[in-house]
């Protein structure tokens, strides 16, 4: 990797002499910003090329960060030195810990964000990042070596060429984006923004196969046209759960409430009567959308027995007039959207500022990627975010960080950064994508993580900060905070192991559901003083003690699975030579090219006997 240049090239008209960078990131959405920041932290000189500074880190849909499983991803990004958690904490207008009444493994922090402030702060992070240069423009083509096996740079619409040995594509929903509102169809990547049309052809020319997906968004309402007095209030948590391990508690800024209302029989009748005008039902849209996040027209068809559906009214910012109507995503014609909204309680006079719409876009089926998110077809070409068939800001940001880091690590001749399924939700997501692919927009759920008891939001720093530190992604302050927290945890554990009540050790007592660390500390000043020093250390010890039996069992499962994970498969292996193997298995292994037997076993349609045949074949090869 080249030594970093200390000059500040502040915009696209002020590029360095030969436009030569280590890494070019295309698109400054959630994936692109984390990719550029991660590569920059590793000392790479990065060009982050995006249509416009004004749309960096835009939230295309819901003004919220985190949620179930997504909250864990944000904490993981933060533990690895990423920006999303800090930016979300600073610009949040409401915090809620979801699933608070359930077990720790499935709780997820979420915040309502100030959409504009979030984007502004992320832009400021990018502007301030050493080695990262924001370049305004549209990338229309990719440059490669003559044999097309290695990336060498990108071409912009105005003819500029940026040379780089690594390129990370994070173009979101923009590739050949086509939006729908009723019968109206128009090209674009997001409402009011152009589509990206050259890149799809460039990717295909390099041998990558493309698919098509769709997603949608609800109408935004005018705050002042809603009758708030008729709606149920949903306040934030009294004690906010922060995302970033660097954010100091308590967060004291006033929180803004959300409100809840419901659809009703009139709304459902209106939508049913107009289904032939719905692009999703009249054949106008044929690509697959997210099953878990259906449009309101899909809900009334799929759940015909339900007499109402919940609608959350979420402010888009502390001072914004826009209210996001979460739950009524739609691409119905505008007059139907107007009528639908006004048939809902509290919204009788509501004015739509921006109509809901659906968007279809190209994606790259992600089985064409290595676990580093580098394409198998072109060395140095990485893909991250919605282009890989995922949906959601957090999923995009997690991939962006990994792709940016891996691009820089490869250039520096260092070991890649790949997280296991037992180490991070980010690891589960990337393994799912590159091993099984996806036929619909992929979103993270806790149910997708088989070791979710180990992958809690509260321990993301202990799981990942040491890994990020080894890779060079983590700032000293973060490392020091973790060391301090772990030292306090150790001291608390020491007190618990040495103290007794009768013949019971304190740590054994703590396993009882009615006993808390606080109750044990009542007449133990040393414990009380440790607890007062770090609330998170206290929470961690308590969780780990109470769940110790389950945690040990899950760790044993990880260790057993590790046997397969540790058996590497040579990348040039010719599967057609394995005569004993089923044809389908040979074809799938040859296409996915798993890195180890664990990954091979997770490919869909692969049976345990296929893996056994492969294992025996590898053993024979080794003996030879
Ligand atoms: P984006 O955030 O889309 O960023 C892409 C960036 O690339 C943009 O800045 C763009 O300007 C830039 N760009 C694109 N092409 C080029 C080019 N050729 N040259 C230079 N720059 C380029 N997610 C959910 O989880 N739930 C939902 O319900 C949901 N609904 C959605 C509805 C709509 C209408 C849209 C548009 C998105 C929705 N999403 C939803 C998806 C969510 O917005 C994305 O998952 C997330 O933003 C993806 O992040 P990304 O970084 O991959 O791409």
């Amino acid at each position: 990797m080249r030594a970093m240049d200390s000059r500040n090239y502040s915009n696209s008209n002020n590029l360095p002499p030969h436009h030569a960078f280590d890494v070019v990131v295309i698109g400054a959405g959630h994936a692109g910003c984390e990719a550029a920041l991660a590569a920059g932290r590793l000392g790479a000189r990065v060009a982050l090329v995006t249509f416009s500074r004004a749309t960096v880190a835009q939230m295309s849909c819901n003004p919220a960060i985190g949620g179930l499983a997504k909250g864990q991803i944000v904490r993981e990004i933060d533990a690895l030195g990423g920006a999303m958690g800090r930016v979300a904490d600073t610009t949040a207008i409401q915090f809620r810990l979801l699933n608070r009444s359930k077990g720790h493994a499935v709780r997820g922090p979420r915040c309502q964000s100030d959409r504009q402030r979030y984007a502004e702060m992320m832009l400021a992070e990018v502007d301030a990042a050493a080695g990262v240069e924001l370049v305004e423009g549209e990338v229309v083509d990719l440059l490669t070596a003559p044999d097309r096996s290695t990336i060498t740079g990108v071409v912009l619409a105005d003819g500029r060429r940026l040379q780089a040995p690594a390129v990370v594509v994070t173009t979101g929903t923009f590739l050949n984006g086509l939006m729908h509102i009723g019968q109206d169809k128009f090209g674009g990547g997001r409402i009011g923004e152009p589509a990206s049309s050259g890149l799809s052809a460039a990717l295909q020319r390099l041998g990558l196969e493309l698919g098509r997906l769709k997603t949608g968004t609800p109408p935004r309402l005018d705050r002042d046209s809603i009758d708030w007095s008729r709606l149920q209030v949903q306040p934030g948590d009294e004690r906010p759960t922060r995302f970033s391990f660097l954010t100091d508690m308590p967060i004291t800024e006033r929180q803004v409430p959300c409100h809840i209302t419901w659809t009703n029989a009139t709304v459902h009748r209106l939508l049913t009567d107009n289904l032939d005008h719905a692009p999703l039902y009249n054949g106008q849209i044929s690509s697959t959308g997210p099953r878990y996040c259906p449009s309101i027209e899909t809900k009334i068809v799929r759940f015909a027995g339900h007499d109402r559906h919940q609608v959350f009214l979420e402010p888009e910012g502390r001072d914004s007039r826009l209210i996001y109507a979460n739950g009524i995503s739609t691409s119905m014609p505008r007059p139907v959207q107007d009528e639908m909204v006004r048939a809902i309680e509290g919204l009788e006079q509501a004015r739509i500022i921006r109509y809901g719409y659906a968007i279809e876009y190209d994606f790259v089926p992600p089985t064409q990627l290595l676990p580093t998110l580098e394409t198998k077809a072109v060395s140095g070409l990485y893909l991250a975010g919605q282009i890989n068939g995922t949906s959601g800001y957090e999923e995009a940001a997690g991939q962006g960080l990994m792709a940016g880091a891996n691009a820089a690590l490869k250039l520096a001749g260092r070991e890649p950064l790949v997280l296991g399924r037992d180490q991070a939700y980010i690891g589960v997501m990337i393994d799912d994508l590159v091993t099984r692919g996806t036929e619909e927009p992929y979103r993270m759920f806790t149910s997708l993580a088989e070791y979710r008891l180990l992958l809690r939001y509260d321990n993301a720093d202990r799981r990942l900060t040491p890994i990020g530190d080894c890779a060079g992604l983590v700032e000293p302050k973060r490392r020091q905070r973790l060391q301090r927290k772990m030292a306090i945890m150790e001291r608390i554990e020491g007190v618990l192991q040495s103290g007794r009540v009768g013949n019971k050790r304190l740590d054994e007592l703590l396993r009882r559901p009615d006993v808390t660390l606080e109750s044990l500390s009542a007449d133990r000043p040393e414990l009380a003083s440790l607890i007062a020093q770090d609330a998170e250390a206290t929470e961690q010890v308590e969780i780990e003690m109470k769940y110790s039996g389950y945690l040990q069992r899950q760790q044993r499962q990880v260790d057993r699975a590790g046997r397969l994970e540790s058996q590497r498969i040579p990348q040039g292996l010719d599967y057609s030579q394995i005569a004993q193997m089923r044809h389908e298995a040979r074809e799938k292994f040859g296409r996915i090219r798993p890195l180890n037997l664990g990954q091979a076993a997770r490919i869909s349609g692969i049976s345990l006997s296929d893996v056994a045949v492969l294992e025996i074949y590898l053993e024979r090869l080794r003996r030879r």
Side-chain angles (χ1 to χ4, degrees), residues 285-470:
I285 294 180
S286 54
S287 31
T288 315
R291 226 176 339 139
Y292 48 81
C293 188
S295 65
I296 186 65
E297 48 269 33
T298 307
K299 284 190 216 175
I300 57 130
V301 172
R302 201 185 293 163
F303 309 109
H306 292 202
D307 52 11
R308 60 179 200 164
H309 295 282
Q310 208 166 32
V311 183
F312 289 93
L313 297 175
E314 302 176 341
E316 292 222 347
R318 206 172 280 284
D319 306 313
S320 170
R321 280 181 73 165
L322 292 181
I323 300 294
Y324 177 91
N326 189 345
I328 51 170
S329 169
T330 184
S331 53
M332 281 288 193
R334 293 175 185 85
V336 179
Q337 292 193 33
D338 281 324
E339 217 181 312
M340 167 181 76
V341 163
R342 290 189 190 142
I344 295 175
E345 185 173 7
L347 307 183
E348 293 82 355
Q349 307 296 325
R351 203 169 64 78
I352 295 181
I353 295 182
R354 197 178 307 141
Y355 288 90
Y357 64 96
I359 181 165
E360 293 181 283
Y361 54 93
D362 292 343
F363 82 109
V364 178
T367 49
Q368 300 171 87
L369 304 174
L370 294 165
T372 55
L373 298 179
E374 187 177 18
T375 57
K376 294 171 186 169
V378 184
S379 172
L381 177 63
Y382 296 76
L383 310 181
Q386 192 117 0
I387 190 174
N388 288 341
T390 60
S391 150
Y393 314 133
E394 305 79 3
E395 288 85 345
Q399 291 169 68
L401 185 148
M402 298 301 284
N406 276 310
L409 289 168
K410 185 175 178 182
L411 293 180
R414 295 181 50 204
E415 280 289 302
L417 179 62
V418 174
L419 299 171
R421 297 181 72 90
D422 57 321
Q423 290 176 308
Y425 272 91
I426 295 176
V428 173
M429 167 176 67
I430 294 179
D431 183 61
D432 280 348
L433 292 171
V434 304
T435 308
R436 297 181 191 168
T438 186
E439 317 236 298
E440 62 173 316
Y442 176 101
R443 104 149 254 189
M444 184 44 82
F445 290 99
T446 51
S447 57
L448 295 175
E450 59 274 43
Y451 307 123
R452 60 184 164 276
L453 208 47
L454 302 179
L455 308 184
R456 303 183 315 272
Y457 76 87
D458 57 270
N459 67 358
D461 53 347
R462 290 175 62 211
R463 289 187 275 121
L464 297 176
T465 295
I467 296 174
D469 198 16
C470 278

